[in-house]
Amino acid sequence: MAFNKMWYTIALGLLLPFSYAHTDFFTSIGHMTDLINTEKDLVVSLKDYIKAEESKLEQIKKWAEKLDQLTDTATKDPEGFLGHPVNAFKLMKRLNTEWGELESLVLKDMSDGFISNMTIQRQFFPNDEDQTGAAKALLRLQDTYNLDTDTLSRGNLPGVKHKSFLTAEDCFELGKIAYTEADYYHTELWMEQALKQLDEGEVSSADKAYILDYLSYAVYQQGDMGKAMMLTKRLLELDPEHQRANGNMKYFEYIMAKEKEANKSSTDSEDQMEKETEVKKKDYLPERRKYEMLCRGEGLKMTPRRQKRLFCRYYDGNRNPRYILGPVKQEDEWDKPRIVRFLDIISDEEIETVKELAKPRLRRATISNPITGALETAHYRISKSAWLSGYESPVVSRINTRIQDLTGLDVSTAEELQVANYGVGGQYEPHFDFARKDEPDAFKELGTGNRIATWLFYMSDVSAGGATVFPEVGASVWPKKGTAVFWYNLFPSGEGDYSTRHAACPVLVGNKWVSNKWLHERGQEFRRPCTLSELE
């Protein structure tokens, strides 16, 4: 028997551009989209491998079926069967040649193409830092938006297009990541969720004993001895020989006996124990609570009297020639500090051009160290950014001119247009755009003075979350594609306006693209003259 030659080809996937071969994928949804294409290519490669294996097995199966019938006949009358000279010849041929060919086929490795593709693509895979960063983002979203673990696990989030859910194994992984960060509050929440889903009958590779081991320790670390003891008992029911659980049980019983003895004479011992074992979530600073409330849309509401001072209008840039006949739509977002929004101020085509220019250059956003002045990444700024100059694209140049015309400020001393794309739970916690008095050298190298004002374009709609909030005054500005907001960071005197402290809320659902222009003091001397009062 002769075997047909098998030609097995698995095309290598398209390589990602060199500029994308870096980590911190979790800080930019824009860059994570490339991973979707990578995974799709691997799936195609895997299916090709499966087809090759199936074809190989099909040939082996046909050979086995044919020889099964032949040997059945031959074994009933061996001498009579071999009495036919053709049968004798074919037996010699099969055993000398064809069984050797079958052996070669069985030993042939069909995975070479798939493994080669995997090896090439693996250099573009996320790493442990990305997985941990994405997990921390889920925990951050849970806290900021007051989401319970069951809601998050079932994917019941506002504005979702593609609903997804977390398995018990996923929940266990989140709990483990919280555990490695000594975050026992979230460890407890997610280990309990994993246990709940297993108790409800979910089929999973997650082990209840492992989950209970983590969970009991996390609960103990938070001071709830009674609950830790109960969980340890449940663990021992599953694995009576669990060495650590048996040791912990003896320790818990010893401590509980001592506490019981110490509180025997106290009439309010039960109340005292409840207070001692009450699990409390980590306290946040008042600003943190304000920030999270504003992100949820629970901010301060303006009084009717203040609301009456907010207007919408057609704005011509103080009779700028470009806008006299075609003024732009402007509306007041807040009174003090004055925050205005320009509507339909950047077109979809301009947005796509800016994104395409920026995407290959996106790098993890940095902050300036107030002590050393060095640029460094920070856990409280989860995004990637790129800088675009006016000379490299007529679109960027046109945008810069538009900002100058509508603000009346000179953009020649402004910083380049910064484009930012936020990642999983992407945020930028409360900060000032201007340099404070204790940071005199913040913009020394630029030689253009402090940041007098901020112009911020929203280049995408965000399904949920992602607001720009001002905790000092209770203002929330929500992203709306094609609009821009503008505010002054400094008073005309040059003093910083501390009420402009602001933050970018975590993106709960969606993809947030923004671009901003920081305008500086130099060149504005006659455009925005100083006043005699520091706070005017």
Coordinates of all heavy atoms in Angstrom, one line a residue, residues 115-186:
I115 N 3.4 25.5 16.3 CA 4.4 25.8 17.3 C 5.3 27.0 16.8 O 5.6 27.9 17.5 CB 5.3 24.6 17.6 CG1 4.4 23.5 18.3 CG2 6.4 25.0 18.6 CD1 3.7 24.0 19.6
S116 N 5.7 27.0 15.5 CA 6.5 28.1 14.9 C 5.7 29.4 15.0 O 6.3 30.4 15.4 CB 6.8 27.8 13.5 OG 7.6 26.6 13.4
N117 N 4.4 29.3 14.7 CA 3.6 30.5 14.7 C 3.5 31.0 16.2 O 3.6 32.2 16.4 CB 2.2 30.2 14.2 CG 1.5 31.5 13.8 OD1 2.0 32.6 13.8 ND2 0.2 31.3 13.4
M118 N 3.3 30.1 17.1 CA 3.2 30.5 18.5 C 4.5 31.1 19.0 O 4.5 32.2 19.7 CB 2.9 29.2 19.4 CG 1.5 28.8 19.5 SD 0.6 29.9 20.6 CE 1.3 29.5 22.2
T119 N 5.6 30.6 18.6 CA 6.9 31.1 19.0 C 7.1 32.6 18.5 O 7.6 33.4 19.2 CB 8.1 30.2 18.4 OG1 7.9 28.9 18.9 CG2 9.4 30.8 18.9
I120 N 6.7 32.8 17.2 CA 6.8 34.1 16.7 C 5.9 35.1 17.4 O 6.3 36.2 17.7 CB 6.6 34.1 15.2 CG1 7.7 33.3 14.4 CG2 6.5 35.5 14.6 CD1 7.4 33.1 13.0
Q121 N 4.7 34.7 17.6 CA 3.7 35.6 18.2 C 3.9 35.8 19.7 O 3.5 36.9 20.2 CB 2.2 35.1 17.9 CG 1.9 34.9 16.5 CD 1.6 36.3 15.8 OE1 1.9 37.3 16.3 NE2 0.9 36.2 14.7
R122 N 4.5 34.9 20.3 CA 4.6 35.0 21.8 C 5.3 36.2 22.2 O 5.1 36.8 23.3 CB 5.3 33.7 22.3 CG 5.2 33.6 23.9 CD 6.0 32.4 24.3 NE 5.4 31.2 23.8 CZ 4.4 30.6 24.4 NH1 3.8 31.1 25.4 NH2 3.9 29.4 23.8
Q123 N 6.3 36.7 21.4 CA 7.0 37.9 21.8 C 6.1 39.2 21.9 O 6.5 40.2 22.5 CB 8.1 38.2 20.8 CG 7.7 38.5 19.4 CD 8.8 38.6 18.4 OE1 9.8 39.3 18.6 NE2 8.8 37.8 17.3
F124 N 4.9 39.1 21.3 CA 4.0 40.2 21.4 C 2.9 39.9 22.4 O 1.9 40.7 22.5 CB 3.3 40.4 20.0 CG 4.4 40.7 18.9 CD1 4.6 39.7 17.9 CD2 5.1 41.8 18.9 CE1 5.5 39.9 16.9 CE2 6.0 42.1 17.9 CZ 6.2 41.1 16.9
F125 N 3.0 38.9 23.2 CA 1.9 38.5 24.1 C 2.0 39.5 25.4 O 3.1 39.9 25.7 CB 2.1 37.1 24.6 CG 1.5 36.1 23.7 CD1 1.1 36.4 22.4 CD2 1.3 34.7 24.1 CE1 0.6 35.4 21.5 CE2 0.8 33.8 23.3 CZ 0.5 34.1 22.0
P126 N 0.9 39.7 26.1 CA 1.0 40.4 27.4 C 1.8 39.5 28.3 O 2.0 38.3 28.2 CB -0.5 40.4 27.8 CG -1.3 40.1 26.6 CD -0.4 39.3 25.7
N127 N 2.3 40.2 29.4 CA 3.1 39.4 30.4 C 2.3 39.4 31.7 O 1.2 39.9 31.8 CB 4.5 40.0 30.5 CG 4.5 41.5 30.9 OD1 3.4 42.0 31.3 ND2 5.6 42.2 30.7
D128 N 3.0 39.0 32.8 CA 2.4 38.9 34.1 C 2.0 40.3 34.6 O 0.9 40.4 35.2 CB 3.4 38.3 35.1 CG 3.6 36.8 34.9 OD1 2.8 36.2 34.2 OD2 4.6 36.3 35.4
E129 N 2.8 41.3 34.2 CA 2.4 42.7 34.7 C 1.1 43.1 34.0 O 0.3 43.8 34.7 CB 3.5 43.6 34.3 CG 3.3 45.1 34.7 CD 4.3 46.0 34.2 OE1 5.4 45.6 33.7 OE2 4.1 47.3 34.3
D130 N 0.9 42.8 32.8 CA -0.4 43.1 32.1 C -1.5 42.4 32.7 O -2.6 43.0 33.0 CB -0.3 42.7 30.6 CG 0.6 43.6 29.8 OD1 0.3 44.9 29.8 OD2 1.6 43.2 29.2
Q131 N -1.4 41.1 33.0 CA -2.5 40.4 33.7 C -2.8 40.9 35.0 O -4.0 41.1 35.4 CB -2.1 38.9 33.8 CG -3.2 38.0 34.3 CD -2.9 36.5 34.3 OE1 -2.1 36.1 33.5 NE2 -3.5 35.8 35.2
T132 N -1.8 41.2 35.8 CA -2.0 41.8 37.1 C -2.6 43.2 37.0 O -3.5 43.6 37.8 CB -0.6 41.9 37.9 OG1 -0.1 40.6 38.0 CG2 -0.8 42.5 39.3
G133 N -2.1 44.0 36.0 CA -2.7 45.3 35.8 C -4.2 45.3 35.5 O -5.0 46.1 36.0
A134 N -4.5 44.3 34.6 CA -6.0 44.2 34.2 C -6.8 43.7 35.4 O -7.9 44.2 35.6 CB -6.1 43.2 33.1
A135 N -6.2 42.9 36.3 CA -7.0 42.4 37.5 C -7.2 43.5 38.4 O -8.3 43.7 39.0 CB -6.2 41.2 38.1
K136 N -6.1 44.3 38.7 CA -6.2 45.5 39.6 C -7.3 46.5 39.0 O -8.0 47.1 39.8 CB -4.9 46.1 39.8 CG -3.9 45.3 40.6 CD -2.6 46.1 40.7 CE -1.6 45.4 41.6 NZ -0.3 46.1 41.7
A137 N -7.4 46.6 37.7 CA -8.3 47.5 37.1 C -9.8 47.0 37.5 O -10.6 47.9 37.8 CB -8.2 47.5 35.6
L138 N -10.0 45.7 37.4 CA -11.4 45.2 37.8 C -11.7 45.6 39.3 O -12.8 46.0 39.6 CB -11.4 43.7 37.6 CG -11.5 43.3 36.1 CD1 -11.6 41.7 36.1 CD2 -12.8 43.8 35.4
L139 N -10.7 45.4 40.1 CA -10.9 45.7 41.6 C -11.1 47.2 41.7 O -11.9 47.6 42.6 CB -9.6 45.3 42.4 CG -9.2 43.8 42.2 CD1 -8.1 43.5 43.2 CD2 -10.4 42.9 42.5
R140 N -10.4 48.0 41.0 CA -10.6 49.5 41.0 C -12.0 49.9 40.6 O -12.6 50.7 41.2 CB -9.5 50.2 40.2 CG -9.5 51.7 40.2 CD -8.2 52.3 39.6 NE -8.0 51.9 38.3 CZ -7.0 51.1 37.9 NH1 -6.2 50.5 38.8 NH2 -6.9 50.8 36.6
L141 N -12.4 49.3 39.5 CA -13.8 49.6 39.0 C -14.8 49.1 40.0 O -15.8 49.8 40.2 CB -14.0 48.8 37.7 CG -13.2 49.3 36.5 CD1 -13.4 48.4 35.3 CD2 -13.6 50.8 36.1
Q142 N -14.6 48.0 40.7 CA -15.5 47.5 41.7 C -15.7 48.5 42.8 O -16.8 48.8 43.3 CB -15.0 46.2 42.2 CG -15.9 45.5 43.3 CD -15.3 44.2 43.8 OE1 -14.1 43.9 43.6 NE2 -16.1 43.4 44.4
D143 N -14.5 49.1 43.3 CA -14.6 50.1 44.4 C -15.2 51.4 43.9 O -16.1 52.0 44.6 CB -13.2 50.3 44.9 CG -12.7 49.1 45.7 OD1 -13.5 48.2 46.0 OD2 -11.4 49.1 45.9
T144 N -14.7 51.9 42.8 CA -15.2 53.2 42.3 C -16.7 53.3 42.0 O -17.3 54.2 42.4 CB -14.4 53.7 41.1 OG1 -13.0 53.6 41.3 CG2 -14.8 55.1 40.6
Y145 N -17.2 52.2 41.4 CA -18.6 52.2 41.0 C -19.5 51.4 41.9 O -20.6 51.1 41.5 CB -18.7 51.8 39.5 CG -18.0 52.8 38.6 CD1 -16.7 52.5 38.1 CD2 -18.5 54.1 38.4 CE1 -16.1 53.5 37.3 CE2 -17.9 55.0 37.6 CZ -16.6 54.7 37.0 OH -16.0 55.6 36.2
N146 N -19.0 51.0 43.1 CA -19.8 50.3 44.0 C -20.4 49.0 43.4 O -21.6 48.8 43.6 CB -20.9 51.2 44.6 CG -20.4 52.0 45.8 OD1 -19.3 51.8 46.3 ND2 -21.1 53.0 46.2
L147 N -19.6 48.2 42.8 CA -20.1 47.0 42.1 C -19.9 45.8 43.0 O -18.8 45.6 43.5 CB -19.4 46.8 40.8 CG -19.5 47.9 39.7 CD1 -18.6 47.6 38.6 CD2 -20.9 48.1 39.3
D148 N -20.9 45.0 43.2 CA -20.7 43.8 44.0 C -20.1 42.7 43.1 O -20.2 42.8 41.9 CB -22.0 43.3 44.6 CG -23.1 42.9 43.6 OD1 -22.9 41.9 43.0 OD2 -24.0 43.8 43.4
T149 N -19.5 41.7 43.7 CA -18.7 40.7 43.0 C -19.6 40.0 42.0 O -19.2 39.6 40.9 CB -18.0 39.8 43.9 OG1 -18.9 39.3 44.9 CG2 -16.8 40.4 44.6
D150 N -20.9 39.7 42.4 CA -21.8 38.9 41.6 C -22.1 39.7 40.3 O -22.2 39.1 39.2 CB -23.0 38.6 42.4 CG -23.8 37.4 41.7 OD1 -23.3 36.3 41.5 OD2 -25.0 37.7 41.3
T151 N -22.4 41.0 40.5 CA -22.7 41.8 39.3 C -21.5 41.8 38.3 O -21.7 41.7 37.1 CB -23.0 43.3 39.7 OG1 -24.2 43.3 40.6 CG2 -23.3 44.2 38.5
L152 N -20.3 42.0 38.8 CA -19.2 42.1 38.0 C -18.9 40.7 37.4 O -18.5 40.6 36.2 CB -18.0 42.5 38.8 CG -16.8 43.1 38.1 CD1 -17.2 44.2 37.1 CD2 -15.7 43.7 39.1
S153 N -19.0 39.7 38.2 CA -18.8 38.3 37.7 C -19.7 37.9 36.5 O -19.4 37.3 35.6 CB -18.9 37.3 38.8 OG -18.8 36.0 38.3
R154 N -21.0 38.3 36.6 CA -22.0 38.0 35.6 C -21.9 39.0 34.4 O -22.7 38.8 33.5 CB -23.4 38.0 36.2 CG -23.5 36.9 37.3 CD -24.9 36.8 37.9 NE -25.0 35.9 39.0 CZ -25.1 34.6 38.9 NH1 -25.1 34.0 37.7 NH2 -25.1 33.8 40.0
G155 N -21.1 40.0 34.5 CA -20.9 40.9 33.4 C -22.1 41.9 33.2 O -22.3 42.4 32.1
N156 N -22.9 42.1 34.3 CA -24.1 43.0 34.2 C -23.7 44.4 34.4 O -23.9 45.1 35.4 CB -25.1 42.6 35.3 CG -25.7 41.2 35.0 OD1 -25.8 40.8 33.9 ND2 -26.0 40.5 36.1
L157 N -23.0 45.0 33.4 CA -22.5 46.3 33.4 C -23.3 47.2 32.4 O -23.8 46.7 31.4 CB -21.0 46.4 33.0 CG -20.1 45.6 33.9 CD1 -18.7 45.7 33.4 CD2 -20.2 46.0 35.4
P158 N -23.5 48.5 32.7 CA -24.3 49.4 31.9 C -23.6 49.6 30.5 O -22.3 49.8 30.5 CB -24.4 50.7 32.7 CG -23.2 50.6 33.6 CD -23.0 49.2 33.9
G159 N -24.3 49.6 29.5 CA -23.8 49.9 28.1 C -23.0 48.9 27.5 O -22.3 49.2 26.5
V160 N -22.9 47.7 27.9 CA -22.1 46.6 27.3 C -22.7 46.2 26.0 O -23.9 46.0 25.9 CB -21.8 45.4 28.2 CG1 -21.0 45.8 29.4 CG2 -23.1 44.8 28.7
K161 N -21.9 45.9 25.0 CA -22.3 45.4 23.7 C -22.1 43.9 23.7 O -22.8 43.2 23.1 CB -21.6 46.1 22.6 CG -21.9 47.5 22.3 CD -21.1 48.1 21.2 CE -21.5 49.5 20.9 NZ -20.7 50.1 19.8
H162 N -21.0 43.5 24.2 CA -20.6 42.1 24.2 C -20.5 41.5 25.6 O -19.4 41.6 26.2 CB -19.2 41.9 23.5 CG -19.2 42.6 22.1 ND1 -19.8 42.1 21.0 CD2 -18.7 43.8 21.7 CE1 -19.6 42.9 20.0 NE2 -18.9 43.9 20.4
K163 N -21.6 41.0 26.1 CA -21.6 40.6 27.5 C -20.7 39.4 27.7 O -20.6 38.5 26.9 CB -23.0 40.2 27.9 CG -23.2 39.9 29.4 CD -24.7 39.7 29.8 CE -24.8 39.4 31.2 NZ -26.2 39.2 31.6
S164 N -20.0 39.4 28.8 CA -19.1 38.3 29.2 C -19.2 38.1 30.7 O -19.8 38.9 31.4 CB -17.6 38.7 28.9 OG -16.8 37.6 29.1
F165 N -18.7 36.9 31.1 CA -18.8 36.6 32.6 C -17.5 36.0 33.1 O -16.7 35.6 32.3 CB -20.0 35.6 32.8 CG -19.8 34.3 32.1 CD1 -19.2 33.2 32.8 CD2 -20.2 34.1 30.8 CE1 -19.0 32.0 32.1 CE2 -20.1 32.9 30.2 CZ -19.4 31.8 30.8
L166 N -17.3 36.0 34.4 CA -16.1 35.4 35.0 C -16.5 34.0 35.5 O -17.5 33.8 36.2 CB -15.7 36.3 36.2 CG -15.2 37.7 35.8 CD1 -15.0 38.5 37.1 CD2 -13.9 37.6 35.0
T167 N -15.6 33.1 35.2 CA -15.8 31.7 35.7 C -15.3 31.7 37.2 O -14.6 32.6 37.6 CB -15.0 30.7 34.9 OG1 -13.6 31.0 35.0 CG2 -15.4 30.8 33.4
A168 N -15.5 30.6 37.8 CA -15.0 30.4 39.2 C -13.5 30.5 39.2 O -12.9 31.0 40.1 CB -15.5 29.1 39.8
E169 N -12.9 29.9 38.2 CA -11.4 30.0 38.0 C -10.9 31.4 37.9 O -9.9 31.8 38.5 CB -11.0 29.1 36.9 CG -9.5 28.9 36.8 CD -9.0 28.0 35.7 OE1 -9.9 27.5 34.9 OE2 -7.8 27.8 35.5
D170 N -11.7 32.2 37.1 CA -11.3 33.6 36.9 C -11.4 34.4 38.3 O -10.5 35.2 38.6 CB -12.3 34.3 35.9 CG -12.1 33.8 34.5 OD1 -11.0 33.3 34.2 OD2 -13.1 33.8 33.8
C171 N -12.5 34.1 39.0 CA -12.7 34.7 40.3 C -11.5 34.4 41.3 O -11.0 35.2 42.0 CB -14.0 34.4 40.9 SG -15.5 34.9 40.0
F172 N -11.2 33.1 41.2 CA -10.1 32.6 42.1 C -8.8 33.3 41.7 O -8.0 33.7 42.6 CB -9.9 31.1 41.9 CG -8.8 30.5 42.6 CD1 -8.6 30.6 44.0 CD2 -7.9 29.7 42.0 CE1 -7.6 30.0 44.7 CE2 -6.8 29.1 42.6 CZ -6.7 29.3 44.0
E173 N -8.5 33.5 40.4 CA -7.3 34.2 40.0 C -7.3 35.7 40.5 O -6.3 36.2 40.9 CB -7.3 34.2 38.4 CG -6.0 34.8 37.9 CD -4.7 34.0 38.2 OE1 -4.9 32.7 38.4 OE2 -3.7 34.6 38.4
L174 N -8.5 36.4 40.4 CA -8.6 37.7 40.9 C -8.3 37.8 42.4 O -7.6 38.6 42.9 CB -10.0 38.3 40.7 CG -10.3 38.8 39.3 CD1 -11.7 39.1 39.1 CD2 -9.4 40.0 38.9
G175 N -8.8 36.8 43.1 CA -8.5 36.7 44.6 C -7.1 36.5 44.9 O -6.5 37.0 45.8
K176 N -6.4 35.6 44.1 CA -5.0 35.4 44.3 C -4.1 36.6 44.0 O -3.2 36.9 44.8 CB -4.5 34.2 43.3 CG -4.9 32.8 43.8 CD -4.0 31.8 43.2 CE -4.1 31.8 41.7 NZ -3.3 30.7 41.0
I177 N -4.5 37.4 43.0 CA -3.7 38.6 42.7 C -3.9 39.6 43.8 O -2.9 40.2 44.3 CB -4.2 39.2 41.4 CG1 -3.6 38.3 40.2 CG2 -3.7 40.6 41.2 CD1 -4.1 38.7 38.8
A178 N -5.1 39.7 44.4 CA -5.4 40.6 45.5 C -4.5 40.1 46.7 O -4.0 40.9 47.5 CB -6.8 40.7 45.9
Y179 N -4.5 38.8 46.9 CA -3.7 38.2 48.0 C -2.3 38.5 47.9 O -1.6 38.9 48.9 CB -3.9 36.7 48.0 CG -3.2 35.9 49.1 CD1 -3.8 35.7 50.3 CD2 -2.0 35.3 48.8 CE1 -3.2 35.0 51.3 CE2 -1.3 34.6 49.8 CZ -1.9 34.5 51.1 OH -1.3 33.8 52.1
T180 N -1.7 38.4 46.7 CA -0.2 38.7 46.6 C 0.1 40.2 46.9 O 1.2 40.6 47.2 CB 0.3 38.4 45.2 OG1 -0.5 39.2 44.2 CG2 0.1 36.9 44.9
E181 N -1.0 41.1 46.8 CA -0.8 42.5 47.1 C -1.2 42.8 48.6 O -1.2 43.9 49.0 CB -1.7 43.3 46.2 CG -1.4 43.2 44.7 CD -0.1 43.9 44.3 OE1 0.2 45.0 44.9 OE2 0.6 43.3 43.5
A182 N -1.4 41.7 49.3 CA -1.8 41.8 50.8 C -3.1 42.6 50.9 O -3.4 43.2 51.9 CB -0.7 42.4 51.6
D183 N -4.0 42.5 49.8 CA -5.3 43.1 49.8 C -6.3 42.1 50.2 O -6.9 41.5 49.4 CB -5.6 43.7 48.4 CG -6.9 44.4 48.3 OD1 -7.7 44.4 49.3 OD2 -7.2 44.8 47.2
Y184 N -6.4 41.9 51.5 CA -7.2 40.8 52.0 C -8.7 41.1 51.9 O -9.6 40.2 51.9 CB -6.9 40.5 53.5 CG -5.4 40.1 53.6 CD1 -4.5 40.9 54.3 CD2 -4.9 39.0 53.0 CE1 -3.2 40.5 54.4 CE2 -3.6 38.6 53.0 CZ -2.7 39.4 53.8 OH -1.4 39.0 53.9
Y185 N -9.1 42.4 51.8 CA -10.5 42.7 51.6 C -11.0 42.2 50.3 O -12.0 41.5 50.2 CB -10.6 44.2 51.6 CG -12.0 44.8 51.2 CD1 -13.1 44.6 52.0 CD2 -12.1 45.4 50.0 CE1 -14.3 45.1 51.6 CE2 -13.4 45.9 49.5 CZ -14.5 45.7 50.4 OH -15.7 46.1 49.9
H186 N -10.3 42.4 49.2 CA -10.7 41.9 47.9 C -10.4 40.4 47.7 O -11.1 39.8 47.0 CB -10.0 42.7 46.7 CG -10.5 44.1 46.5 ND1 -9.8 45.2 46.9 CD2 -11.7 44.5 46.0 CE1 -10.5 46.3 46.6 NE2 -11.6 45.9 46.1

